[in-house]
Amino acid sequence: MLRSGSLIRHCRSPLVFSFLGLVFALSELSADAQRARDLYLQSRRYLEQKQVTKALNLALQAEAEDASNGWYSANVGSLYQWHIKKPDTARLYYQKALQKGSQEPWIYRHLAILDFNAQKMGSARDQIETAVTLGQSRLETGVDQNAGPSNLKALAQDQITNLGWQCRIALEEGRYLDVIRLSSKAEQLQDRYRPFAAGRLDGTLVYSAAEALYWQGHEALSRAEYNQAATAYDQGTSWANRNASMAEWFRNQGMSELAPMARARASLGVIQPVYVHRFHALYLNEVKARFQDSSGHWINAETRITDNQISASRIMETVLQTWLEVHSKGKLSLHGEHHKMDLTVRNFKVSTSYGVESRQPDLESAGQELADFLFEYGGDVDTWFFYWNGEGFATTANGGAHVYAYVPWQLYGSMRGYVSMPSHWMEKSSGFLTLLHEYFHVVEAMSGIKPVHGFLDSARRNFPGWRGKGQFDYFRWHFYNTLPAVKNSLTQKREWSNLNFKNIYPEIVTAGLVQKNKDRVQTVAVDKLERAHLLYQQARNLPASSQNEKIGLFQQVLELNPWHIMANQELAIHYSRQKEYQLAAEHYKTLLSLQPRVWAANNLAWIYQWQLKQPASAIPVLQQAIELDREGTDSLGSRINLSRALMDTKQFAASLKALQECRTVANQLESSKHYSECTFWEGFVLGEKKADPDAARPLIAEAWQKGYQNNFSRFYYNKYVKKPASRNRALMGSAQPEVQAAPFLMSLPENEPVQVSHD
């Protein structure tokens, strides 16, 4: 996960200009004005000592002493705005100052900042235009009256600050050309009067100019105009370098890497990717949630996603795509489809990791409509991107892998990539790094890179080959040095095509299964479904030593929702291990009716066939297991057990047919182990059950030669091959070893994976 960060601190306390000092020193002041001046200067000294309350009291006394001077009212407003953090009170004092005739440019600038922070852009734009007009007039008057270098420098500095905020407001409105034009004006004043030292140009101005140019680069990149993008990126970095703090901030966001990336993409030309990672971006229209944070405080969140956030996110996806293409040398690309969902997120999941609180939308709270959409497209997507407006309450973005609900709190599909993104973070030019960071968590989930956050000092020992610095370099190092060669636990192939979910985890949930689960839970109240699932998660989080408590919670889950898939699964496995096979069978039957899985069918068949001694009951369950995986290796064990259940119920012809099919599939899958076992049992049925030793002999001989050798098979190898039955009739009636039961297939499916997140 990635946390939000403040980009800049919006301005400072008003400057005490040198020309104002001259007014105090040279003017003939009244007694009230003198006392006001002295009180003001005392207030400033207390403020320097961070004694804000004393400073405010003296500032208020100064205003009362010289009641006609609007400057003192504005000074009180400044204290309320910047030190006491009461914007409404600050606005009242600024308005008093204007009513008293004070026309200081900084008053209008501070009013503009108040409006900007309140998102009143029209008013902010008007206020800052007034500040710029007054500031320019003051500067021209100073020049005409030969105000002197120090006063002209102070006036120029104030005007550059005004222009900086005019740029900032234009930037917020997406008027990038206006930002560049206005920043050029400020640059001319800096070149003429040098009010700012080298590397210390006004931060708001520098941020706005650099941000606008970086955005122009992003937009050019989205049009595949790579060289034009590189030029804009270079210009953005040049502006960023005019303020040391801004330069460091943008550098930490990887912005200096963009121009080389754009040029590298231009040099690649037309590419033919080995794999195109497919994503679907969902814009969750509304958040209307009330939830508790990790400290127990209630958070009320009500937002709607904006068109600008949507367009910004799409541009950021293009930057991410370009990064992937460059760093995979054209072997991996990204393609997405976009959907605006008229849905409401009504809850957030809160967790803490590495001391950082994460707040992620509870997708199931958005209802069945979202679940239906995820099911409809789940088979054709590698990763889901979820955008939601988190203004005022978002703490992190998140990424990794997830299983998604197709019936909320009930039925889940196959694993897919997961990116959860506060959409308003995409409105910053550095938003691409946030997106890259979360997408790299998806890469980690696909490729097996562990641990996450390997760029942190506490984790980098796991990657001794990486000697760089920062997450941007860390991601690049993996793309150049370990990907796609990181061994994936799900496949032995080492190709860029490993970086997918939809092929590694094909969707096996069907429309019929979704409908069946909907029908089953339709009589269960929604709040019970949610409570049941929360109890299940609570049980899952308990340590292994709390097994009894876990089982109690799973039972409570089923009291709320008897059809809860995972609780039935857990109890089926538990009762099997406790050898309470009848109870285990009931839970397996429920599980298979809700979410059929090969492993579960084989487990239930094992209980019927070998523990409850009910081979007839095992037959339809094994047939179900085979249907679930007709051409896969899992079906081979099921076919062998089916043949034995048929044999035990004296259905010998059907048993032979099952074994012949088993041999065919095993041969196709090149599974010599299963092929030899099927061959042996076919010979066994022919010889022992059909009394056809001549047909049995070559099959048992072949099975032995191909490696199916144990004490049981040795007995029949000796009987039919070494000592043919036709010459030793007595052996035919010899005591035979008991047929061995198949091993209990206890392999488990993927449970709900936890989203990978970071701090």
Side-chain angles (χ1 to χ4, degrees):
M1 60 193 169
L2 195 63
R3 283 177 285 180
S4 173
S6 177
L7 296 173
I8 55 176
R9 295 300 179 191
H10 296 321
C11 199
R12 56 184 74 103
S13 298
L15 299 169
V16 183
F17 304 118
S18 55
F19 74 85
L20 181 60
L22 286 172
V23 171
F24 279 154
L26 301 177
S27 299
E28 185 174 340
L29 300 177
S30 67
D32 290 343
Q34 287 178 357
R35 284 194 297 272
R37 180 195 62 182
D38 292 341
L39 288 165
Y40 165 76
L41 293 175
Q42 289 180 55
S43 170
R44 296 295 300 180
R45 285 193 290 271
Y46 277 120
L47 194 60
E48 289 168 1
Q49 298 168 13
K50 302 188 185 307
Q51 298 186 50
V52 177
T53 302
K54 290 183 177 180
L56 176 63
N57 289 335
L58 289 168
L60 288 168
Q61 292 177 43
E63 186 206 17
E65 286 290 347
D66 196 351
S68 62
N69 191 336
W71 195 93
Y72 291 112
S73 297
N75 178 57
V76 174
S78 176
L79 286 169
Y80 274 111
Q81 182 174 3
W82 301 109
H83 299 283
I84 303 174
K85 309 299 183 185
K86 289 188 175 181
D88 292 338
T89 306
R91 188 187 300 276
L92 292 174
Y93 277 95
Y94 289 144
Q95 289 169 346
K96 283 176 66 176
L98 297 179
Q99 290 166 3
K100 292 177 182 180
S102 183
Q103 290 292 298
E104 299 292 342
W106 66 263
I107 298 175
Y108 287 98
R109 182 173 71 245
H110 285 193
L111 282 168
I113 294 169
L114 288 172
D115 288 332
F116 176 89
N117 290 335
Q119 292 294 295
K120 298 176 180 178
M121 290 303 157
S123 178
R125 186 168 57 250
D126 293 342
Q127 299 284 14
I128 200 63
E129 285 175 1
T130 302
V132 169
T133 300
L134 288 172
Q136 185 62 30
S137 175
R138 288 284 181 89
L139 184 56
E140 291 171 358
T141 300
V143 171
D144 292 342
Q145 296 180 358
N146 296 317
S150 60
N151 283 319
L152 290 176
K153 184 176 286 190
L155 290 166
Q157 182 175 4
D158 193 49
Q159 181 64 348
I160 289 172
T161 305
N162 291 333
L163 288 166
W165 271 98
Q166 195 169 27
C167 286
R168 185 67 185 88
I169 292 165
L171 176 69
E172 190 74 9
E173 296 179 322
R175 296 183 285 115
Y176 301 137
L177 293 177
D178 284 347
V179 175
I180 294 168
R181 175 179 57 81
L182 293 167
S183 61
S184 295
K185 284 186 177 182
E187 187 177 26
Q188 292 170 9
L189 290 177
Q190 172 66 12
D191 290 343
R192 181 174 179 182
Y193 297 105
R194 301 288 175 186
F196 291 93
R200 298 183 65 184
L201 189 57
D202 178 75
T204 306
L205 172 69
V206 169
Y207 170 77
S208 302
E211 183 80 354
L213 287 160
Y214 285 135
W215 265 111
Q216 285 201 321
H218 290 341
E219 290 176 346
L221 202 68
S222 71
R223 300 189 297 269
E225 297 170 354
Y226 302 117
N227 289 320
Q228 183 177 335
T231 299
Y233 289 145
D234 279 336
Q235 292 172 345
T237 299
S238 176
W239 259 101
N241 289 338
R242 300 180 192 193
N243 179 288
S245 296
M246 288 294 105
E248 181 181 9
W249 190 87
F250 279 115
R251 187 166 53 251
N252 289 340
Q253 303 305 306
M255 307 306 284
S256 59
E257 307 275 356
L258 292 175
M261 179 190 73
R263 293 191 176 94
R265 181 61 186 86
S267 68
L268 282 176
V270 178
I271 63 172
Q272 294 182 326
V274 172
Y275 189 75
V276 177
H277 190 94
R278 292 182 60 81
F279 72 91
H280 279 230
L282 270 59
Y283 304 105
L284 305 179
N285 185 49
E286 183 180 43
V287 171
K288 190 175 287 186
R290 188 170 188 265
F291 61 95
Q292 285 182 296
D293 64 14
S294 57
S295 301
H297 299 126
W298 285 99
I299 306 293
N300 292 305
E302 290 194 29
T303 58
R304 296 181 72 87
I305 202 165
T306 68
D307 290 340
N308 188 64
Q309 291 168 0
I310 292 173
S311 61
S313 70
R314 297 189 69 164
I315 289 175
M316 290 304 171
E317 290 163 4
T318 304
V319 182
L320 174 62
Q321 175 188 338
T322 305
W323 193 95
L324 295 174
E325 291 171 351
V326 167
H327 291 86
S328 67
K329 297 181 172 59
K331 302 299 183 184
L332 178 69
S333 189
L334 194 67
H335 175 74
E337 296 184 22
H338 302 81
H339 312 270
K340 187 173 182 180
M341 307 292 292
D342 189 19
L343 298 171
T344 300
V345 177
R346 301 192 180 279
N347 191 32
F348 277 75
K349 295 180 178 179
V350 177
S351 60
T352 302
S353 178
Y354 299 99
V356 178
E357 181 173 295
S358 172
R359 300 170 181 174
Q360 302 176 60
D362 182 351
L363 299 176
E364 289 167 270
S365 73
Q368 187 62 52
E369 183 180 350
L370 176 59
D372 287 341
F373 188 91
L374 294 172
F375 169 68
E376 181 179 356
Y377 292 97
D380 193 43
V381 66
D382 288 306
T383 297
W384 292 99
F385 288 15
F386 298 95
Y387 293 102
W388 44 280
N389 189 347
E391 288 182 285
F393 67 92
T395 55
T396 62
N398 294 79
H402 199 48
V403 292
Y404 296 94
Y406 294 160
V407 177
W409 302 294
Q410 174 64 17
L411 179 65
Y412 298 83
S414 298
M415 191 181 296
R416 293 292 181 263
Y418 169 78
V419 171
S420 170
M421 184 62 59
S423 54
H424 65 294
W425 289 7
M426 296 293 95
E427 295 180 296
K428 303 290 187 289
S429 69
S430 58
F432 91 95
L433 181 59
T434 309
L435 195 59
L436 171 61
H437 182 115
E438 303 311 333
Y439 183 79
F440 195 78
H441 283 313
V442 177
V443 171
E444 290 168 333
M446 290 186 289
S447 64
I449 296 173
K450 293 180 180 179
V452 298
H453 301 142
F455 53 84
L456 297 176
D457 290 341
S458 59
R460 65 181 301 153
R461 66 180 180 275
N462 295 281
F463 306 100
W466 177 56
R467 295 181 174 84
K469 182 179 180 182
Q471 56 181 309
F472 202 99
D473 186 73
Y474 172 75
F475 300 152
R476 177 169 49 208
W477 179 81
H478 272 296
F479 267 76
Y480 286 164
N481 294 280
T482 68
L483 293 169
V486 169
K487 183 176 180 181
N488 193 311
S489 61
L490 303 169
T491 174
Q492 294 299 313
K493 292 189 300 182
R494 298 189 173 198
E495 301 172 355
W496 286 103
S497 57
N498 280 351
L499 300 186
N500 80 88
F501 280 102
K502 67 188 185 72
N503 296 332
I504 295 174
Y505 297 103
E507 186 54 76
I508 59 176
V509 174
T510 65
L513 198 58
V514 171
Q515 189 59 51
K516 181 179 288 187
N517 277 267
K518 286 182 181 178
D519 292 343
R520 286 290 178 88
V521 301
Q522 68 178 346
T523 58
V524 182
V526 172
D527 65 314
K528 285 189 175 182
L529 291 175
E530 184 175 7
R531 282 162 50 206
H533 201 63
L534 291 174
L535 274 177
Y536 164 75
Q537 291 175 326
Q538 180 183 337
R540 289 280 297 169
N541 290 331
L542 289 173
S545 58
S546 301
Q547 184 66 13
N548 290 338
E549 186 178 353
K550 279 189 171 189
I551 298 306
L553 287 172
F554 291 141
Q555 290 167 339
Q556 289 180 45
V557 169
L558 295 187
E559 289 173 7
L560 292 167
N561 174 16
W563 314 111
H564 193 279
I565 290 173
M566 302 305 294
N568 274 290
Q569 172 184 304
E570 295 284 353
L571 289 173
I573 294 170
H574 168 73
Y575 288 127
S576 293
R577 289 172 176 164
Q578 298 299 312
K579 300 184 178 181
E580 297 184 52
Y581 295 117
Q582 196 63 55
L583 283 173
E586 292 304 313
H587 286 292
Y588 272 126
K589 281 166 41 179
T590 302
L591 177 60
L592 285 168
S593 74
L594 297 166
Q595 191 172 40
R597 290 289 186 268
V598 175
W599 70 270
N602 281 330
N603 282 3
L604 178 57
W606 178 86
I607 290 172
Y608 281 141
Q609 191 167 5
W610 307 113
Q611 303 306 317
L612 300 180
K613 307 301 182 183
Q614 299 173 9
S617 298
I619 290 171
V621 181
L622 288 164
Q623 290 170 334
Q624 181 184 21
I626 293 168
E627 284 301 315
L628 290 170
D629 187 43
R630 288 202 64 83
E631 306 301 325
T633 55
D634 284 346
S635 75
L636 296 174
S638 306
R639 292 175 189 276
I640 294 169
N641 286 330
L642 174 62
S643 72
R644 296 177 69 180
L646 290 165
M647 180 182 69
D648 289 344
T649 54
K650 303 186 185 308
Q651 301 179 61
F652 302 128
S655 177
L656 287 170
K657 182 180 178 182
L659 288 165
Q660 289 160 2
E661 290 177 354
C662 180
R663 291 178 68 195
T664 300
V665 175
N667 190 49
Q668 291 170 348
L669 295 174
E670 299 180 353
S671 176
S672 59
K673 173 184 178 296
H674 289 100
Y675 181 87
S676 62
E677 188 174 357
C678 292
T679 302
F680 169 80
W681 283 106
E682 187 176 351
F684 178 89
V685 174
L686 286 168
E688 296 298 304
K689 305 301 180 181
K690 301 287 285 184
D692 190 349
D694 292 335
R697 187 176 301 112
L699 292 168
I700 291 175
E702 181 184 4
W704 184 267
Q705 290 165 3
K706 290 186 180 295
Y708 189 68
Q709 299 179 7
N710 53 43
N711 290 335
F712 185 67
S713 63
R714 185 187 302 277
F715 179 91
Y716 291 98
Y717 176 74
N718 289 335
K719 177 176 180 177
Y720 286 99
V721 180
K722 278 196 169 184
K723 300 176 181 179
S726 60
R727 294 184 301 179
N728 191 352
R729 293 288 178 182
L731 193 59
M732 289 288 288
S734 299
Q736 300 173 9
E738 183 180 348
V739 177
Q740 298 299 305
F744 184 18
L745 303 173
M746 188 54 83
S747 56
L748 299 181
E750 306 85 12
N751 286 322
E752 297 168 86
V754 176
Q755 297 95 281
V756 180
S757 59
H758 73 281
D759 55 296

